[in-house]
Amino acid sequence: ASTPTTPAPLDTAPAAVAFGTAGSKWWTVGAGIANNFHSATDLNLFGAYSYFLDTDVEFSAEVGAWYYGDGDDAFGLNPQMVVRWHFFNNQKWTIYGDIGIGLLFMTDDVPDGGSSFNFSPRIGGGVTRLLNDSGLRWQAGIRWAHISNARITGDEDNPSRDSVMFYTGLIWPF
């Protein structure tokens, strides 16, 4: 004889996938502020799609919208690729390091005397924290952000800019 099973209550949501699980997919939205410690403060809004290639190794495709406040104000669009390693992950918190590169298309030359097309390498680190049972996470970090056209218009037209950027965002699974 078999024993009857009791169905799960209807209001029970399925458990969220563990953050850092190989094959899991995540969305991120966030904002940041960067400063070059001279005359420029830049603002950033970004969205990202992330995929965990392996346990705690994340690949992210990110698109950022930028406001550059240096000389003539400029706006930019910045697609990036980022690899992030969550070297500490206890599911509630992670600590990570990341590295990335992207393209930067702007409405004016940034920095002044440069070009409206640049490359944007970056390196940094941060933390994530689990906020609820659905897998929503908070992210905060700091990075070195570089803007340079890599001398594609000549040595004399390649003023670069280095900034420190602080950013925050929300991450959720899908």
Side-chain angles (χ1 to χ4, degrees):
S2 64
T3 30
T5 57
T6 306
L10 295 176
D11 63 349
T12 303
V17 64
F19 190 73
T21 301
S24 65
K25 301 171 189 172
W26 302 79
W27 290 112
T28 304
V29 294
I33 186 167
N35 189 281
N36 72 348
F37 299 106
H38 295 289
S39 62
T41 298
D42 308 324
L43 304 174
N44 173 243
L45 296 175
F46 64 90
Y49 162 81
S50 294
Y51 179 81
F52 277 87
L53 301 170
D54 201 352
T55 301
D56 296 326
V57 178
E58 176 183 2
F59 173 81
S60 183
E62 182 177 302
V63 175
W66 284 91
Y67 164 77
Y68 292 97
D70 183 19
D72 293 332
D73 293 350
F75 296 91
L77 187 63
N78 182 215
Q80 295 232 338
M81 296 181 297
V82 180
V83 176
R84 184 172 289 133
W85 175 40
H86 297 266
F87 56 87
F88 172 82
N89 183 349
N90 72 2
Q91 285 307 300
K92 190 172 217 177
W93 288 94
T94 72
I95 302 172
Y96 64 84
D98 67 16
I99 189 166
I101 184 77
L103 304 174
L104 189 51
F105 305 95
M106 294 162 292
T107 59
D108 201 356
D109 295 345
V110 176
D112 286 339
S115 62
S116 61
F117 171 78
N118 285 288
F119 297 95
S120 57
R122 68 188 219 190
I123 190 168
V127 299
T128 72
R129 177 159 188 344
L130 181 65
L131 296 177
N132 65 27
D133 293 339
S134 298
L136 181 68
R137 302 184 79 83
W138 169 70
Q139 175 186 43
I142 184 172
R143 73 173 62 114
W144 162 77
H146 180 75
I147 300 170
S148 170
N149 65 26
R151 296 183 179 92
I152 60 175
T153 59
D155 287 344
E156 66 283 350
D157 293 325
N158 187 37
S160 62
R161 181 156 91 198
D162 294 298
S163 299
V164 173
M165 179 178 175
F166 296 95
Y167 63 95
T168 189
L170 293 173
I171 305 168
W172 65 94
F174 74 95

